[in-house]
Amino acid sequence: MSIAAPTQPLDFIRQIVTDDLNAGKYGRIITRFPPEPNGYLHIGHAKSICLNFGIAEEFGGLCNLRFDDTNPIKEEQEYVDAIMEDVRWLGFDWGDRLFFASDYFQQMYDYALHLIKAGKAYVDSLSADEIREYRGTLIEPGKDSPYRNRSVEENLDLFQRMKAGEFPEGAHVLRAKIDMASGNINLRDPVLYRIIHAEHHRTGNAWCIYPMYDYAHPISDAQEGVTHSLCTLEFEDHRPLYDWVMENCPVPFRSYQYEFARLNLSYTVLSKRRLIKLVKEGHVSGWDDPRLPTLSGMRRRGYPAEAIRRFCDLIGVGKRENVVDMALLEYCVREELNKTAPRVMAVLKPLKVVITNYPEGQSEELEAVNNPEDPTAGTRPVPFGRELYIERDDFMEEPPKKFFRLAPGREVRLRYAYFIKCQDVVKDEKTGDILELRCTYDPATKGGYAPDGRKVQATLHWVAASHAAPAKVRLYDRLFSTPEPGAATGNFLDDLNPDSLETLANCRVEPSLGRARPGQRFQFERLGYFCVDRDSGRGSLTFNRTVPLKDPWAKIQKGK
Ligand code: ATP
Ligand code: MG
């Protein structure tokens, strides 16, 4: 099979695949995405998913979903289910190619017996601490364990008894017999099996010895005929061990490992250990907290799967570690939602406006555009009446320079409606708080344009007081206040942003949103993109702010 010349330069992995196919090395490539079910997937995993499934798709190959479930202590069915949901949501399909490393436990065990018989593995009875001591350092070679030269018979006997459950945890391990003086510490007789007396989410109590990642992974790849086993750079030094397992076990297929740079993202953490800590210690509301970089959190926040895939495309695949700016992900989200999200009007911090020359008890329906980016999206009616709400931030009694919105005596446009002019400000006598604005409207400006050609400098969004639906809106900011959480103190929790969530309980949204369903996304005009949260229901509406629009006035203020 020959691969057509691409329009863009290939990344190094796609180049390898192209070369392998052109050389006739494989008829069809097979990749795999191998999550350990010990947490929820995050955006870093999305990079790996897009790469593995993407390459298989592009080159007419297959991609397996394989759970790397070799540690019964940390793994749970809940995680398996959540991971499958997330991969599907991202838009990828493994068909009937769902596998579990635990499906190969018997095979791995048989290969271990093979290694022992070939004199290439032995049972070691040093403690974990001793094994670490004997291993040496980057500058000193390791020392042989006193158990390294046990006979094949003794090793077989002990290993079988480990499996039979005769020993407590830590009493023995099975190690590969490679080279205690190797310059690569991973080759200094790595542990292949340890004893764990714990129930496994799939194999129950069938096993009490469990294989290590470095042993289980190549064997799983080989069992599935994986041609290109793609993993992150920290496994580069493990590749010689991967190859050793391939070469010394009677595997049915020879797989090869290739390493790419993991995704690092500013202002967040992408490590399951840290994410688990945030969830278990209650720093966030759960795995799908919209502030987390988990796929379930991003989904709940309103990030479209297309935007995440586009982001993974843009960052590309390379060999050099770097940190990607969160702003790039937000850019992708905005770009996608700009095309797809219907526009609506919502007022987050309402300020009442009474149109004094609009007849009492009267209302009318005005026509609003659903999506200027999509002519097929049509229009919808929005009600207008004598009493309205506008955004509190859109009015200033004493406007500074460059504030072009509503102020006493000033005229502005209400989107899709009329020009209004502020005539009076009604205040609470005691507190001085602004209670409402008294305005007049110009009936001749219906639709938002003056027949005499006069201009206004601002267009405000609004809702009709009598028709609006109440809503709760959650505004999210970054979960961490520094680009590299923990860089200064060593503890990433020190950099949690105390203001990462602000809840506005008293918002008003246009009546068409009364029919909105959880997961639906909208652009609130002039404010940003918002997604209906699953906490909505029975007449109550809760929105999550997915991402704000770029706000020119906020920028001016910040710059001061
Ligand atoms: P973490 O480092 O967050 O604990 P992990 O590597 O232990 O994650 P796995 O479930 O083992 O999590 O990962 C499954 C696959 O996803 C692996 O192939 C891993 O290399 C890849 N992966 C994990 N994190 C990233 C990341 N930040 N960028 C790219 N790929 C990643
Ligand atoms: Mg891992």
Side-chain angles (χ1 to χ4, degrees):
M1 171 168 166
S2 179
I3 302 301
T7 49
Q8 277 182 6
L10 294 176
D11 59 63
F12 79 101
I13 290 179
R14 285 175 170 86
Q15 190 59 56
I16 290 168
V17 170
T18 304
D19 293 346
D20 285 349
L21 285 171
N22 285 341
K25 199 163 162 192
Y26 309 108
R28 182 176 65 185
I29 61 152
I30 300 182
T31 57
R32 86 287 168 267
F33 172 63
E36 185 180 354
N38 62 350
Y40 280 55
L41 297 183
H42 53 63
I43 181 97
H45 293 113
K47 174 172 180 176
S48 174
I49 295 169
C50 290
L51 182 64
N52 281 292
F53 280 93
I55 284 190
E57 228 169 78
E58 287 157 44
F59 291 89
L62 299 167
C63 181
N64 301 345
L65 175 61
R66 181 205 311 143
F67 286 97
D68 176 24
D69 56 347
T70 51
N71 183 354
I73 300 166
K74 294 190 194 154
E75 295 160 6
E76 289 171 28
Q77 186 62 38
E78 179 200 341
Y79 297 137
V80 171
D81 297 337
I83 288 170
M84 292 200 284
E85 186 184 350
D86 287 348
V87 175
R88 257 189 227 112
W89 174 74
L90 252 194
F92 298 103
D93 184 5
W94 55 88
D96 57 359
R97 310 187 65 79
L98 172 63
F99 302 105
F100 292 83
S102 56
D103 294 343
Y104 316 126
F105 279 172
Q106 185 62 46
Q107 202 59 260
M108 293 172 193
Y109 177 74
D110 292 344
Y111 290 169
L113 294 178
H114 174 93
L115 289 174
I116 293 172
K117 287 177 194 156
K120 289 173 179 167
Y122 63 98
V123 172
D124 195 359
S125 309
L126 292 179
S127 69
D129 285 341
E130 289 166 326
I131 289 179
R132 208 170 302 123
E133 267 169 50
Y134 276 63
R135 187 171 292 136
T137 64
L138 286 174
I139 44 171
E140 286 166 62
K143 272 192 312 193
D144 286 3
S145 161
Y147 304 100
R148 195 174 198 259
N149 291 316
R150 276 174 165 153
S151 68
V152 168
E153 289 67 37
E154 194 184 355
N155 281 324
L156 281 177
D157 174 62
L158 283 170
F159 188 52
Q160 279 157 349
R161 287 166 59 199
M162 280 166 67
K163 174 181 185 265
E166 287 186 28
F167 304 115
E169 291 182 11
H172 308 285
V173 292
L174 184 74
R175 297 178 73 172
K177 195 173 190 171
I178 306 180
D179 178 7
M180 288 307 291
S182 171
N184 183 337
I185 290 185
N186 293 298
L187 293 181
R188 293 184 189 168
D189 292 10
V191 173
L192 304 181
Y193 269 96
R194 66 248 202 258
I195 299 169
I196 302 178
H197 291 284
E199 194 171 307
H200 184 278
H201 73 114
R202 282 177 66 85
T203 58
N205 292 306
W207 297 89
C208 62
I209 52 171
Y210 288 92
M212 303 298 287
Y213 172 89
D214 282 332
Y215 179 66
H217 208 82
I219 294 177
S220 305
D221 284 343
Q223 293 301 313
E224 295 170 15
V226 167
T227 54
H228 300 78
S229 181
L230 312 177
C231 63
T232 38
L233 279 181
E234 63 272 25
F235 291 100
E236 196 166 17
D237 290 345
H238 296 236
R239 188 178 351 120
L241 180 51
Y242 184 97
D243 291 338
W244 185 91
V245 173
M246 283 286 163
E247 282 151 20
N248 289 283
C249 293
V251 290
F253 187 83
R254 175 60 161 101
S255 309
Y256 290 88
Q257 174 183 302
Y258 304 92
E259 309 86 18
F260 61 95
R262 65 189 292 112
L263 168 66
N264 303 301
L265 201 57
S266 62
Y267 292 98
T268 191
V269 292
L270 295 184
S271 124
K272 273 190 274 189
R273 201 170 35 81
R274 288 174 168 189
L275 294 173
I276 286 173
K277 205 169 161 70
L278 290 170
V279 172
K280 297 254 152 101
E281 291 181 5
H283 302 289
V284 293
S285 67
W287 282 103
D288 69 349
D289 188 300
R291 290 168 293 181
L292 286 180
T294 53
L295 295 182
S296 51
M298 291 183 168
R299 174 166 66 240
R300 189 171 175 192
R301 177 133 172 192
Y303 285 19
E306 293 77 8
I308 294 175
R309 294 205 306 266
R310 172 93 180 110
F311 170 74
C312 291
D313 246 23
L314 282 180
I315 58 175
V317 187
K319 273 258 180 208
R320 205 162 41 86
E321 284 285 350
N322 64 347
V323 181
V324 177
D325 195 329
M326 182 72 106
L328 181 65
L329 178 57
E330 291 173 351
Y331 162 82
C332 294
V333 170
R334 278 196 196 96
E335 200 182 50
E336 177 64 26
L337 290 175
N338 181 44
K339 285 186 286 187
T340 54
R343 275 55 168 170
V344 293
M345 291 198 286
V347 174
L348 300 190
K349 296 176 187 162
L351 171 60
K352 195 172 195 177
V353 168
V354 180
I355 312 284
T356 51
N357 60 338
Y358 196 87
E360 249 170 286
Q362 184 177 309
S363 73
E364 65 186 299
E365 287 196 329
L366 302 167
E367 195 182 24
V369 174
N370 287 332
N371 188 348
E373 301 287 319
D374 175 7
T376 66
T379 61
R380 69 189 185 286
V382 289
F384 183 88
R386 182 179 154 89
E387 296 197 352
L388 312 168
Y389 291 113
I390 63 165
E391 210 65 65
R392 199 158 270 275
D393 294 345
D394 280 338
F395 174 79
M396 281 184 112
E397 203 173 6
E398 286 160 30
K401 253 207 233 162
K402 291 193 187 167
F403 184 88
F404 299 120
R405 305 171 189 180
L406 199 58
R410 191 182 284 178
E411 190 172 49
V412 297
R413 175 190 294 114
L414 293 182
R415 184 100 159 120
Y416 305 121
Y418 298 97
F419 285 10
I420 62 166
K421 191 169 188 176
C422 180
Q423 308 289 1
D424 203 4
V425 182
V426 181
K427 292 187 187 173
D428 184 304
E429 277 175 17
K430 288 202 194 91
T431 64
D433 292 344
I434 297 172
L435 296 179
E436 64 179 49
L437 306 179
R438 305 245 138 190
C439 300
T440 49
Y441 85 121
D442 177 356
T445 58
K446 184 162 179 170
Y449 295 93
D452 63 7
R454 75 180 189 278
K455 298 268 188 286
V456 288
Q457 282 195 293
T459 301
L460 309 186
H461 61 277
W462 53 275
V463 294
S466 54
H467 294 73
K472 198 158 101 175
V473 172
R474 300 186 185 129
L475 303 180
Y476 297 103
D477 199 348
R478 296 186 163 149
L479 186 54
F480 294 93
S481 36
T482 56
E484 211 188 313
T489 65
N491 180 4
F492 74 106
L493 294 175
D494 291 343
D495 291 330
L496 274 168
N497 173 7
D499 304 316
S500 59
L501 169 61
E502 181 187 0
T503 303
L504 304 174
N506 191 30
C507 312
R508 295 283 189 280
V509 299
E510 67 169 65
S512 73
L513 284 173
R515 293 184 300 274
R517 294 283 157 267
Q520 275 189 295
R521 309 177 184 102
F522 299 91
Q523 185 193 99
F524 289 180
E525 293 215 27
R526 299 179 62 235
L527 297 174
Y529 296 98
F530 294 75
C531 178
V532 184
D533 191 74
R534 60 171 162 75
D535 286 348
S536 304
R538 293 219 186 76
S540 90
L541 273 173
T542 300
F543 290 90
N544 298 322
R545 183 173 67 191
T546 308
V547 64
L549 294 177
K550 303 241 149 131
D551 177 348
W553 171 242
K555 240 191 212 154
I556 290 168
Q557 273 181 316
K558 232 180 165 178
K560 270 188 186 162

